[in-house]
Amino acid sequence: MAKSSVSRFRSDMLSKARDVLTETVRSTPLTSAPDAALMFPTLTSAQIARIASHGVTRPVTRGEVLIEGGQTDVPFFVVKAGEIEVIRPSGLGNLLIAVLRPAQFTGDISMILGRPAQMRLSVSESGQLVELTRDQMHDLIQTDAEISDVLMRALIHRRIALVTQGIGDALLIGSGRSAATLRIKEFLTRNAHPFKYLDLDRDADVQDLLDRFHVDRADVPVLICRGAAVLKRPSNQEIAERLGFNERIDRNHLRDVVIVGAGPAGLAAAVYAASEGLDALVIEASSPGGQAGSSSRIENYLGFPTGISGQELAGRAYAQAQKFGATVMIAKGAVQLTCEERPYGVRLDDGATIPARTVIIATGARYRKPSLANLEQFEGAGVYYSATFMEAQLCTGDEIVVVGGANSAGQAAVFLARTVRRVHLLVRSSNLSASMSRYLVRRIEEIPTIQIRTRTEIVALDGDGHLERVRWRDGTGGVTSHGIRHVFLMTGAEANTGWLSGCVALDEKGFVKTGQDLTEQDLAAVQWSLGRSPYLLETSRPGVFAVGDVRCGNIKRVASAVGEGSIAISFVHRVLAE
Ligand SMILES: Cc1cc2nc3c(=O)[nH]c(=O)nc-3n(C[C@H](O)[C@H](O)[C@H](O)COP(=O)(O)OP(=O)(O)OC[C@H]3O[C@@H](n4cnc5c(N)ncnc54)[C@H](O)[C@@H]3O)c2cc1C
């Protein structure tokens, strides 16, 4: 490390004695960490020459700022000679993240995602750099498979390190007992946005920090972005806006395909569309990953013999879609499909309408909610719809209830049984085998801390602020009350088709009918006028497709969602050629 860097790093550490981010101060920058080679590989001279042919090579002098934190249109640099320092700037204190030396390169996944830079990069030793604009860097990774592999691998490892160490431009102050805090944590995590979390009830110094930003305890959760902007109890939309998730997206441009929903089906469609040269936009109401993103471990998806968490699968697919040039709009819901004339339009919850030559409906399904009077009051405060590491942390050592007889409930029970004291698995039917895969039933039966309670359902939830007691009725009709503070509801799903406003034919349960499931009456109702029948996965509107869980007859699995998303693109090509 250059002398200036050492002294800056030390003084930075010292000045943080009372800084709330003290915990995140590292004794070494990431470039000196044991796994540095994964994050900061060195390029061969042949690779550097190939990269240089896409951009310019120029001299730089010490002190030059190459990228400012928050900057959009972030360029990409390879160090030929000299040294670059990567610093997380913020009102909360600067932190040296990395020192890049010859044959190493800059970049973070934000660059691929088209989001603002999180770090400041400056030249700490004069030298020579290769510089590519963001567009040139995109061209490079789309055309040079070898370099793309090296860059993408490094960027993903860097992001994982930032996320796991909470080094980023966002600080969340919340409470483990608040549903809004859990929502924000989930939103940031599922969007792979690194953030530092401080808990009002557990962390010292939080009050100092609240005072420093003139925030009242009642305003929590609070998100402090780039050490300056303070968002009090923000919605996901506000967070996406402030962190620049959708900053570079042109909403007026007519796309070849607009994909609504970024679950496995929508992301697969985006990867195939973009990799095959189509101009694709994905609209996601919440975060990429859909239901799969809320699964702790998917064990039956091809190619992952030891399983993969839904979040990791979604994160990789999201980066892959962006790598090929698909655009993903986050925290924007589609509220209407305008289908009377072509091009079609997808109207968003903020009033904008995105024009589309073809549309893929990939809005999946959401958990059915049991009709319990005060259910909403406990959502996120004792009642959960997903079972990931985050929820597991909230109930470690406690007794919990998992409701449901399908695979998602079984997985949740197995996953949570590792850290909780006891799992009561409540199933309405008289046994599990009708609705759950055999491997899961067997695994559940082998875990002594899981108690299967068949013909049992919850009848009431009680508590003040947080869930404290659960009452259930068993097969005998008797109702008992239990001091249980955590209930995981995994009770089947209904289609997210409310926004389609009668544009396409649905089945009696609200799922979208496609291909051969469409009857003559379905087609007559929308005046199908083409000389051909609807393609596989095509709805009753020409050029509007439905894939994944939202589609009637779909097998509700990650693999089938991914398969359908990718197959749909071949039919999109045919429609565009018509
Ligand atoms: C906890 C859990 C565990 C599971 N485990 C497994 C497993 O191990 N193996 C397996 O094969 N399957 C598993 N499944 C099932 C699997 O996750 C689903 O079949 C799969 O996610 C379906 O993908 P999809 O893209 O069709 O829909 P979804 O995953 O439901 O994604 C739909 C997306 O559309 C978005 N959306 C909805 N409405 C709108 C709108 N109006 N505008 C914009 N966006 C919208 C949603 O926010 C969501 O992100 C699990 C499901 C759950 C819930």
Side-chain angles (χ1 to χ4, degrees):
M1 201 188 299
K3 263 189 182 164
S4 66
S5 312
V6 176
S7 55
R8 203 172 312 169
F9 189 42
R10 283 202 188 121
S11 74
D12 198 41
M13 285 184 71
L14 291 173
S15 73
K16 281 190 175 55
R18 287 188 51 74
D19 193 302
V20 69
L21 289 181
T22 305
E23 287 167 54
T24 67
V25 173
R26 307 169 44 83
S27 55
T28 48
L30 291 181
T31 29
S32 305
D35 54 354
L38 291 172
M39 294 181 275
F40 303 97
T42 49
L43 296 163
T44 63
S45 45
Q47 288 170 334
I48 296 175
R50 289 217 303 279
I51 296 175
S53 70
H54 286 257
V56 294
T57 303
R58 66 176 181 90
V60 283
T61 44
R62 191 172 157 200
E64 180 179 341
V65 175
L66 300 168
I67 297 169
E68 195 50 89
Q71 176 183 330
T72 49
D73 270 328
V74 184
F76 169 76
F77 298 95
V78 178
V79 184
K80 285 192 87 174
E83 196 181 85
I84 296 175
E85 275 186 358
V86 181
I87 292 159
R88 188 216 53 201
S90 107
L92 295 166
N94 289 345
L95 180 67
L96 182 73
I97 304 295
V99 181
L100 302 174
R101 302 203 166 82
Q104 293 183 316
F105 52 88
T106 65
D108 170 69
I109 206 79
S110 301
M111 216 183 145
I112 306 292
L113 305 183
R115 296 183 188 168
Q118 299 204 10
M119 309 293 167
R120 177 196 298 148
L121 269 69
S122 58
V123 178
S124 47
E125 217 174 81
S126 302
Q128 197 181 40
L129 305 180
V130 173
E131 176 172 359
L132 270 65
T133 62
R134 179 177 179 270
D135 289 344
Q136 287 168 333
M137 197 259 197
H138 261 249
D139 282 349
L140 171 71
I141 56 175
Q142 280 168 32
T143 52
D144 191 321
E146 184 202 333
I147 290 178
S148 164
D149 192 44
V150 177
L151 299 193
M152 289 302 293
R153 206 181 288 263
L155 302 198
I156 288 170
H157 281 293
R158 288 176 193 179
R159 179 48 66 99
I160 290 170
L162 295 182
V163 168
T164 50
Q165 295 180 36
I167 306 171
D169 56 359
L171 170 67
L172 175 64
I173 304 173
S175 157
R177 291 179 301 164
S178 128
T181 300
L182 182 62
R183 169 181 57 77
I184 296 173
K185 278 170 101 173
E186 272 178 0
F187 182 70
L188 292 170
T189 305
R190 289 181 59 171
N191 280 291
H193 194 91
F195 67 100
K196 167 84 183 158
Y197 174 65
L198 291 178
D199 197 299
L200 201 57
D201 312 315
R202 287 204 311 253
D203 293 302
D205 290 343
V206 172
Q207 191 56 53
D208 280 0
L209 194 71
L210 292 177
D211 294 345
R212 188 161 150 190
F213 285 95
H214 311 290
V215 176
D216 212 75
R217 277 184 163 245
D219 295 327
V220 163
V222 170
L223 189 71
I224 301 170
C225 306
R226 303 199 181 102
V230 178
L231 307 183
K232 298 172 185 173
R233 302 183 69 84
S235 65
N236 291 351
Q237 285 78 358
E238 285 171 305
I239 298 171
E241 195 73 30
R242 179 61 70 164
L243 294 175
F245 286 2
N246 301 321
E247 208 151 278
R248 286 172 48 97
I249 301 178
D250 177 357
R251 292 144 161 257
N252 301 316
H253 171 68
L254 175 63
R255 318 272 170 167
D256 292 331
V257 56
V258 170
I259 300 158
V260 187
L267 288 172
V271 167
Y272 280 81
S275 67
E276 291 171 20
L278 297 180
D279 184 354
L281 170 73
V282 185
I283 297 167
E284 169 53 52
S286 175
S287 319
Q291 297 168 75
S294 63
S295 169
S296 54
R297 186 143 293 267
I298 296 167
E299 293 191 59
N300 56 357
Y301 186 53
L302 190 72
F304 296 93
T306 54
I308 181 166
S309 77
Q311 215 167 289
E312 199 183 341
L313 185 68
R316 286 170 185 226
Y318 182 28
Q320 197 176 8
Q322 305 258 359
K323 175 185 108 166
F324 285 119
T327 308
V328 184
M329 199 182 255
I330 300 294
K332 291 277 175 220
V335 291
Q336 194 190 352
L337 177 63
T338 56
C339 54
E340 277 67 43
E341 49 189 51
R342 293 175 80 169
Y344 296 123
V346 178
R347 198 155 73 78
L348 303 181
D349 47 17
D350 62 9
T353 299
I354 312 275
R357 289 196 176 92
T358 64
V359 174
I360 295 184
I361 301 164
T363 42
R366 64 180 175 281
Y367 275 119
R368 205 168 283 140
K369 298 186 179 183
S371 50
L372 294 166
N374 49 1
L375 181 65
E376 279 184 14
Q377 180 189 330
F378 297 118
E379 286 176 343
V383 169
Y384 317 99
Y385 297 94
S386 55
T388 67
F389 180 66
M390 243 175 302
E391 289 81 15
Q393 281 179 315
L394 299 173
C395 51
T396 305
D398 289 354
E399 200 166 341
I400 65 159
V401 167
V402 174
V403 182
N407 279 5
S408 53
Q411 283 165 351
V414 170
F415 171 67
L416 294 164
R418 290 196 230 149
T419 48
V420 303
R421 186 154 43 90
R422 173 168 291 277
V423 179
H424 300 271
L425 181 57
L426 270 51
V427 190
R428 241 201 325 218
S429 61
S430 53
N431 63 57
L432 278 182
S433 52
S435 48
M436 197 179 284
S437 300
R438 259 189 66 177
Y439 82 92
L440 262 180
V441 177
R442 281 225 295 271
R443 199 168 296 174
I444 287 172
E445 285 168 350
E446 278 164 15
I447 301 176
T449 50
I450 301 182
Q451 184 156 10
I452 305 168
R453 295 180 177 275
T454 54
R455 298 174 60 221
T456 303
E457 55 188 322
I458 293 188
V459 292
L461 303 170
D462 303 304
D464 181 13
H466 194 282
L467 180 67
E468 282 157 21
R469 296 197 76 76
V470 179
R471 273 178 278 166
W472 66 62
R473 184 187 299 113
D474 62 24
T476 66
V479 174
T480 45
S481 175
H482 307 261
I484 292 179
R485 291 170 49 80
H486 307 279
V487 170
F488 291 80
L489 294 174
M490 312 257 153
T491 48
E494 50 199 38
N496 289 321
T497 45
W499 65 282
L500 290 168
S501 44
C503 268
V504 299
L506 306 179
D507 72 0
E508 66 288 354
K509 290 184 179 155
F511 289 82
V512 182
K513 289 170 86 172
T514 55
Q516 289 191 344
D517 285 336
L518 290 160
T519 61
E520 278 181 19
Q521 292 92 310
D522 292 329
L523 298 183
V526 296
Q527 292 158 354
W528 180 273
S529 58
L530 300 181
R532 62 166 177 84
S533 307
Y535 292 128
L536 185 76
L537 306 176
E538 194 172 24
T539 68
S540 54
R541 290 278 167 188
V544 178
F545 298 85
V547 294
D549 276 19
V550 75
R551 195 179 70 78
C552 133
N554 157 277
I555 306 296
K556 309 278 180 271
R557 292 280 185 274
V558 173
S560 43
V562 168
E564 290 182 11
S566 52
I567 294 169
I569 297 306
S570 61
F571 296 108
V572 165
H573 283 293
R574 287 199 211 172
V575 170
L576 292 174
E578 275 173 358

